[in-house]
Amino acid sequence: AQSVTQLGSHVSVSEGALVLLRCNYSSSVPPYLFWYVQYPNQGLQLLLKYTTGATLVKGINGFEAEFKKSETSFHLTKPSAHMSDAAEYFCAVWVSGTYKYIFGTGTRLKVLA
Amino acid sequence: DTEVTQTPKHLVMGMTNKKSLKCEQHMGHRAMYWYKQKAKKPPELMFVYSYEKLSINESVPSRFSPECPNSSLLNLHLHALQPEDSALYLCASSQDHGVSNSPLHFGNGTRLTVT
């Protein structure tokens, strides 16, 4: 069965510091992976996606993620945090066969001034 | 601005009321979804419509009744809800259902409170 694990329900970084949000998946077939961001009182917004091809994926707002098959990981990074990055981040895998998305439990990012 | 529009933004209803949530998208997407999100939790899938037909019902109680009048509109009819149904209800759409690289586009949700 496919699943997604996000390590760390809360992450705090200083403004200007590296952001690293962790996501590991389990899948018996090639996964299709997504990162979404949710700002307070809003819906989820797609940051980036990996389906096939290049393993380093660039998204919006300066975020990127690298698909590492050997580590079953899809960690999200941003070189320099901005106050506006404070939000909830969800990793998701699209489950082939069931045609559903499985979301991780989310990581709340706090950016300190 | 979100391309998926949900109304109302907030809704307070009693347990005997009947109300409806509405969702609209004009991106030409053929799949539409209802998700329920409790505080500090990920979205939970409720229903999926593909080409205006209900394709997935995640064993949702019958007090929630979805409707897809056309490819751009999705409604969720509510009746005899319970306080535990209070949550953020999110509508989403995707270009197609069952296509792996077809990401979800979410609306900003309806914050529902059942009293």
Side-chain angles (χ1 to χ4, degrees):
Chain A
Q2 292 173 316
S3 65
V4 173
T5 301
Q6 289 184 243
L7 295 176
S9 59
H10 292 81
V11 171
S12 293
V13 300
S14 298
E15 190 174 22
L18 172 72
V19 175
L20 171 60
L21 304 183
R22 300 178 186 273
C23 173
N24 288 87
Y25 68 90
S26 70
S27 174
S28 58
V29 296
Y32 301 99
L33 297 159
F34 303 81
W35 275 100
Y36 287 87
V37 60
Q38 186 174 30
Y39 299 102
N41 301 313
Q42 292 189 23
L44 282 71
Q45 180 183 3
L46 179 69
L47 275 177
L48 48 80
K49 67 178 182 181
Y50 170 79
T51 53
T52 58
T55 56
L56 182 62
V57 182
K58 295 188 184 298
I60 62 172
N61 302 339
F63 284 94
E64 62 182 35
E66 187 171 10
F67 169 64
K68 291 187 176 181
K69 185 178 179 180
S70 61
E71 298 177 9
T72 61
S73 69
F74 191 56
H75 301 330
L76 182 70
T77 60
K78 181 174 180 177
S80 176
H82 192 272
M83 297 297 287
S84 60
D85 294 326
E88 187 86 21
Y89 291 80
F90 292 98
C91 183
V93 62
W94 185 82
V95 183
S96 58
T98 67
Y99 307 115
K100 300 177 187 177
Y101 290 84
I102 291 178
F103 287 88
T105 51
T107 297
R108 182 165 295 275
L109 177 65
K110 186 174 181 179
V111 182
L112 308 172
Chain B
D1 290 338
T2 181
E3 295 169 322
V4 178
T5 304
Q6 290 188 243
T7 55
K9 292 183 179 180
H10 301 275
L11 178 63
V12 180
M13 60 185 291
M15 289 190 285
T16 59
N17 291 158
K18 286 185 180 181
K19 296 287 185 182
S20 297
L21 309 184
K22 296 185 183 302
C23 175
E24 188 169 6
Q25 59 88 12
H26 293 290
M27 294 179 282
H29 289 177
R30 305 317 302 260
M32 296 188 77
Y33 309 73
W34 280 115
Y35 282 86
K36 173 183 178 180
Q37 187 180 28
K38 302 285 269 187
K40 303 185 190 302
K41 298 290 187 183
E44 300 172 25
L45 182 63
M46 300 175 71
F47 302 103
V48 181
Y49 275 83
S50 179
Y51 290 85
E52 304 166 39
K53 294 188 186 306
L54 183 64
S55 64
I56 294 178
N57 176 343
E58 288 288 271
S59 302
V60 178
S62 60
R63 57 185 184 268
F64 296 91
S65 175
E67 177 195 22
C68 188
N70 60 56
S71 61
S72 299
L73 294 174
L74 186 66
N75 300 321
L76 186 63
H77 303 297
L78 314 173
H79 174 56
L81 295 192
Q82 303 298 309
E84 59 265 28
D85 296 321
S86 298
L88 181 68
Y89 287 83
L90 294 165
C91 174
S93 68
S94 66
Q95 190 168 10
D96 205 339
H97 181 232
V99 177
S100 60
N101 61 356
S102 183
L104 297 169
H105 295 252
F106 284 88
N108 284 331
T110 294
R111 178 77 60 187
L112 175 67
T113 303
V114 182
T115 60

